[in-house]
Amino acid sequence: MTSNDPWQSAAAHGWKVIDASTLDRNIDLEADVVIVGTGAGGGTAAEILAEAGLAVILVEEGPLSTARDFRMRESEAFSTLYQESAARKTKDKAIGILQGRCVGGGTTVNWTSSFRTPEATLAYWHRTFGLDGFAAADLAPWFARMETRLGIAPWDVPPNANNQALARGAAALGIETVAIRRNVKGCWNLGYCGMGCPTNAKQSMLVTTVPAALDRGATLVTRARALEFAHRGDRVTALSCVAMDSRGVHTTARRLSIRARAYVAAGGAIGSPALLLRSRLPDPHGIVGKRTFLHPTVVSAALMPEQVDPFAGAPQSVYSDHFLDSAPVDGPIGFKLEAAPAHPLLMAITLPGQGRAHASWMRELPRLHVALALLRDGFHPDSPGGTVTLDGGGAPVLDYPLTPYVWEGVRRALDTMAEIQFAAGAKTVMPIHGDGAAYTSLAAARAAIGAFALAPLATPVVSAHVMGGCPLGPEPARAVVDTTGRHHHLANLHVLDGSLFPTSIGANPQLSIYGLVARLATALAASLSPPAKRGGD
């Protein structure tokens, strides 16, 4: 165990942690605020609200896994730290979605890339959705606050060979690349960020805001699924939860009922809409779950003449916004270019084909370069995003049709990545597509990409970023919550996570969530203080 592990002395600090999988009876809890979710939104809100002297309860469906549990093994991490064992997909199974489900949520398993919300995105929100007071200058102090809190700073270590190849190829073509800022302190540069940081260098909610909230008297409930908010009139009256089993797969017979002055949904942009839908809350305009956005992401693999070891070193340290900045946000879909780490299991499920063809690429893993393109969805009438609904058991399902507008961007992105990879010295490039073919020249790759039949399932698409579904805005007919994050129809329910975004943002979203939620949670804390007196206080 690392010496900087705050959980090592949890008992000595008297932290209140309830593992719901161990309950032998139903329990009732009370607080000033109950927060569903411990990721970027919930973790940020918990620290701010607890610092204000409010009694806070955090509810997390996943486990409390800490540095001693993070052994850099994909087989362990994917099954315990991710939604649906890292196998969550859209309704038609065409898009794979990587989402965290553990204390710290996505911040525990992400690749540490940290970007402020692009100014073009904020300007579009103002222009299209009437979001006054959310310009870059308005949010800058909140971004700065969270950057300081979470160690977000330039990464001065030279990029690993995978990121270097992206920078080298782009430079040869006159495409600007920039270093990515990361939320790390004392990083060992291992490269296994997606499996939980074994040295606690990643400044996730797991080692920063959640421990800080517990230090101030908050209670953490793990392995508990939030079922629904009970409500009467314009107020939520209770949160009902069910305990999960120790594996986090099945629910048990144990129930938890939590009453509070204020309730916060921070379960992410699939979880929060689903919770509101299960609760049958007022939604007269049918907005909840609509306009849920991914960054649809496509991948290109290349074999380099030199050893790359794409699984080693900081996963992402170089990016290019050239293809976002060179066109208006509401024009042809733009995309952000980044490198992607290539661990064995992740690549085994990403590379197309089977048998000898697939095995031959896997044998070449040390020489593999992997580029990805994040498509900025939601800024055009032909990119309406997806819709969260519930299946027969109340579990969320994201229906995300990919339109011709998006597929046109996919084709351009695959072409661009192939050009960059060949410019970087690649001997062979394989745009990830159902055909599983590889090409030894740019001309051949371009001809093939131009002829690809782009369609769901035939063209692998992935995403690690989910946004929207409970958008904020001043108009109840277009937004679930107002510009303070408060539900338009319920006085004591707030949404504080990435589901607030009216579109995707065009960048890895963790810092956007931190900054926005810090602002909204600070205002919520002020509105609730001083805390109500409870028996014995």
Side-chain angles (χ1 to χ4, degrees), residues 99-441:
Q99 280 188 295
R101 189 186 71 155
C102 54
V103 174
T107 74
T108 297
V109 295
N110 69 22
W111 298 338
T112 77
S113 300
S114 302
F115 300 90
R116 294 188 180 191
T117 313
E119 291 189 25
T121 297
L122 296 173
Y124 182 83
W125 291 355
H126 171 73
R127 185 170 67 250
T128 307
F129 302 102
L131 287 184
D132 294 330
F134 289 84
D138 299 313
L139 293 177
W142 301 101
F143 289 140
R145 168 178 169 170
M146 296 309 295
E147 287 162 352
T148 299
R149 174 67 180 96
L150 301 174
I152 294 172
W155 175 244
D156 295 329
V157 176
N160 68 3
N162 196 38
N163 283 267
Q164 285 177 359
L166 174 61
R168 184 172 67 248
L173 300 171
I175 299 170
E176 182 185 17
T177 58
V178 183
I180 293 176
R181 295 188 304 159
R182 307 180 65 220
N183 60 313
V184 295
K185 290 183 179 179
C187 177
W188 291 23
N189 204 27
L190 298 173
Y192 282 71
C193 306
M195 278 133 262
C197 181
T199 68
N200 283 329
K202 184 195 301 186
Q203 299 299 286
S204 66
M205 303 296 95
L206 175 66
V207 299
T208 55
T209 61
V210 172
L214 293 174
D215 266 339
R216 291 162 176 80
T219 298
L220 171 64
V221 182
T222 66
R223 292 192 173 103
R225 175 175 292 166
L227 291 179
E228 63 179 1
F229 292 116
H231 61 99
R232 184 180 302 112
D234 71 342
R235 300 190 69 81
V236 174
T237 57
L239 171 68
S240 298
C241 305
V242 61
M244 307 297 294
D245 63 15
S246 60
R247 295 193 306 137
V249 176
H250 302 292
T251 58
T252 73
R254 303 305 171 201
R255 297 293 188 269
L256 302 88
S257 179
I258 307 174
R259 297 185 180 275
R261 297 166 59 200
Y263 299 80
V264 173
I270 291 178
S272 286
L275 176 57
L276 270 58
L277 289 169
R278 283 196 299 272
S279 304
R280 299 174 296 281
L281 301 182
D283 184 22
H285 302 285
I287 301 168
V288 174
K290 303 288 178 58
R291 289 186 63 82
T292 300
F293 290 101
L294 305 172
H295 287 139
T297 299
V298 289
V299 180
S300 186
L303 287 181
M304 307 301 289
E306 73 279 3
Q307 190 158 330
V308 176
D309 291 341
F311 40 79
Q316 292 183 321
S317 55
V318 170
Y319 76 99
S320 176
D321 278 348
H322 175 82
F323 298 94
L324 289 177
D325 297 339
S326 59
V329 293
D330 53 357
I333 197 166
F335 50 89
K336 187 184 201 79
L337 293 173
E338 296 174 340
H343 299 98
L345 181 54
L346 188 61
M347 291 315 299
I349 62 175
T350 300
L351 293 169
Q354 56 188 334
R356 291 182 178 178
H358 186 276
S360 67
W361 274 87
M362 290 301 298
R363 279 194 296 270
E364 296 285 7
L365 187 64
R367 293 199 296 129
L368 201 65
H369 171 258
V370 182
L372 56 79
L374 307 172
L375 277 72
R376 179 178 57 192
D377 210 357
F379 294 78
H380 189 277
D382 293 331
S383 60
T387 302
V388 174
T389 58
L390 303 176
D391 68 12
V397 178
L398 175 60
D399 186 15
Y400 206 94
L402 293 172
T403 65
Y405 171 84
V406 176
W407 286 124
E408 186 276 333
V410 166
R411 199 180 304 276
R412 280 188 289 109
L414 291 173
D415 185 285
T416 296
M417 289 188 288
E419 183 178 17
I420 289 173
Q421 288 172 320
F422 278 118
K427 300 301 182 184
T428 304
V429 170
M430 179 170 64
I432 301 302
H433 184 264
D435 293 345
Y439 309 97
T440 57
S441 73

Side-chain angles (χ1 to χ4, degrees), residues 5-27:
D5 190 345
W7 296 97
Q8 191 169 10
S9 53
H13 288 308
W15 288 354
K16 292 176 282 188
V17 180
I18 300 170
D19 181 348
S21 72
T22 67
L23 293 176
D24 58 4
R25 58 184 175 83
N26 298 338
I27 63 172

